[in-house]
Amino acid sequence: MWSRQALLAYLWVPFVALRNQTPEQITIPPDAVCFKIAKSISSASEVFYPGDPSYEKGISHFAISSTQQSRCVVEAGSPADVGKILGILGKTNTPFAVKGGGHATNPGFSSTPGVHISMSRFSEIKYDAVSKTADIGAGLIWDDVYAALEPLGINVIGGRITGVGVAGFTLGGGYSFKTNQYGLAIDNVVAFELVKPDGTAVTVTHASDPELFFGLKGGLNNFGIVTKFTLKTFPQTQIWGGAITNLESAIPNIAAATATFQTSVTDPKAAIIMAYTYEAASQQVIASQLLFYDAPTPPPGIFDDFLAIPSIQSDISTRSYLSLVQSSQVNAAPGARDLYDGVPILAFTPGLSDVLLNETMFWGAALGNKSEIALSYAIEIFLPSIYSHNSDKTAFPPVRNIPFKPFNIAYSWNSSKFDPDFHKAAVDSAAHIHKAALAEGQTQLVHAPHYPNYAVTGTPLADMYGRNLPALRALKARVDPNNVMGLAGGWKF
């Protein structure tokens, strides 16, 4: 049964055509579009309206600032139905969104006031022992994937914190705890099941369409809707790791330990993320390190400097990969507003550590009366060889001969009144950090790209895709000549 509102909207359709639109592209109210979709899709899919729990689940994001009230939620359940949905949205010129895990922090990137497509029914996890690959549905979060693969003793290159979606993470690049060993997530995709903007469902491989395969590896949602990824798998034992939290007084020792780790540890199984965080409630800066070793026990000496520093909290242990991921809580403040930004970094240095600490303290104080919860600055230490695991071109990164590291700025606050303040602060802070790194002599950063999954709204496309941008725009014109995917949010070519 359809709501009275939806039925009336559908009956009103014949009266809303505008004189300057063709019959093939008639703008009609989104409620009527929802009704049209509901009448067109198979029983594998379903449409939900405001007030239904499935609607609320469909539009929700880990950051409330990324959630919008759509006219309906469509849970698509098959590639054929996704094709029908795209056909209707394109012909009616209806804004829409596609949500996988809902971890996007840029408003409007996976939310819309129009038609919201939830990918949650694409939840397949299928392992092929012969090819050593796994088919992974685009509606899953990495927690689900790790839980399913763990009993098989295998793993894939995926997210490092709980709640991150498979689709956005992979289509944007994907840095993992195992990236030192195997590269980015996109370097380990062997096939995409894609519904193109014209509604055609295809399997995209390097052999079938090398240009589109290139574009999907970092090009996010510009070329259609991915419903399934085929990923390389790797053996997985228990791992060693966890989080350590220290008071501000320990930061000089932590900075020294991080710099030493960066220059002396070449074991690809080892990885760390180190962050300075300003907590508004206590008006204090704390330091944290997320340590990882891809075996039950690390060799002596790798992490000794960190373990020797007095801490206020530590959960280091031998554990499952899933256990480590689920211990990393980034959405500990329900209902918070969040944004990410980031800049590429070549090296973590004592001088840069001072800059990061100053940024943490300055902006923590400056935003303290604007419903601030926390500000975090996190450096991710990788080996210089991480981009050598794939000789094929990918949309991201546009260069593989510069050993840049992703750097993440994460802000959390409560009131939408201050959204512009936090956005401007993140942009200004990122620019200051980038300028400081250049002043230190990290001049290759002029040509290093920003990571699309961290970049804040307003980041120029050229800063992320560099010299690949002309080819990506040409590919976009070929695959989506009517710009159907332009009706959805995100980075647009």
Side-chain angles (χ1 to χ4, degrees), residues 78-369:
S78 71
D81 281 350
V82 172
K84 294 175 184 177
I85 295 163
L86 281 178
I88 293 169
L89 295 172
K91 288 179 180 178
T92 57
N93 201 35
T94 301
F96 68 96
V98 185
K99 191 192 88 171
H103 208 267
T105 57
N106 283 326
F109 272 41
S110 57
S111 62
T112 179
V115 173
H116 188 107
I117 302 173
S118 169
M119 301 298 288
S120 60
R121 297 192 182 197
F122 289 94
S123 57
E124 176 187 32
I125 303 173
K126 183 180 179 182
Y127 175 58
D128 185 328
V130 176
S131 63
K132 298 190 185 304
T133 60
D135 289 340
I136 308 295
L140 292 161
I141 61 173
W142 289 109
D143 306 54
D144 301 325
V145 177
Y146 300 147
L149 298 182
E150 186 176 288
L152 304 177
I154 58 171
N155 208 346
V156 290
I157 307 306
R160 294 168 289 182
I161 56 178
T162 188
V164 174
V166 167
F169 174 90
T170 305
L171 291 170
Y175 291 88
S176 166
F177 285 129
K178 298 168 81 74
T179 285
N180 279 336
Q181 300 175 75
Y182 305 112
L184 305 184
I186 50 170
D187 296 329
N188 292 278
V189 180
V190 298
F192 301 87
E193 183 178 79
L194 174 74
V195 180
K196 296 168 71 173
D198 66 1
T200 306
V202 295
T203 297
V204 182
T205 66
H206 187 273
S208 71
D209 191 334
E211 289 182 350
L212 185 52
F213 194 62
F214 148 80
L216 289 169
K217 291 194 167 191
L220 295 161
N221 67 353
N222 279 278
F223 308 111
I225 298 178
V226 174
T227 54
K228 182 173 67 179
F229 301 86
T230 302
L231 306 178
K232 297 176 185 177
T233 65
F234 306 96
Q236 185 65 64
T237 64
Q238 282 197 308
I239 60 91
W240 177 96
I244 302 175
T245 306
N246 311 84
L247 295 174
E248 182 181 342
S249 58
I251 284 179
N253 290 333
I254 294 166
T258 303
T260 299
F261 179 95
Q262 175 184 245
T263 57
S264 64
V265 176
T266 58
D267 188 334
K269 293 185 176 182
I272 66 168
I273 302 174
M274 191 278 286
Y276 300 151
T277 301
Y278 181 89
E279 295 187 335
S282 63
Q283 298 183 5
Q284 290 184 338
V285 174
I286 62 171
S288 61
Q289 309 100 65
L290 186 56
L291 310 183
F292 172 83
Y293 193 80
D294 199 9
T297 305
I302 290 184
F303 299 105
D304 289 0
D305 289 349
F306 296 103
L307 299 175
I309 301 170
S311 65
I312 57 175
Q313 186 175 352
S314 175
D315 72 342
I316 300 292
S317 65
T318 296
R319 62 210 302 178
S320 71
Y321 196 95
L322 176 62
S323 168
L324 178 64
V325 168
Q326 293 189 325
S327 71
S328 304
Q329 298 290 335
V330 296
N331 51 349
R337 309 183 74 76
D338 295 85
L339 67 74
Y340 288 167
D341 199 2
V343 292
I345 295 293
L346 285 183
F348 177 81
T349 65
L352 196 57
S353 174
D354 291 342
V355 171
L356 299 182
L357 181 56
N358 288 337
E359 290 294 303
T360 308
M361 297 173 69
F362 174 82
W363 288 111
L367 298 168
N369 64 345

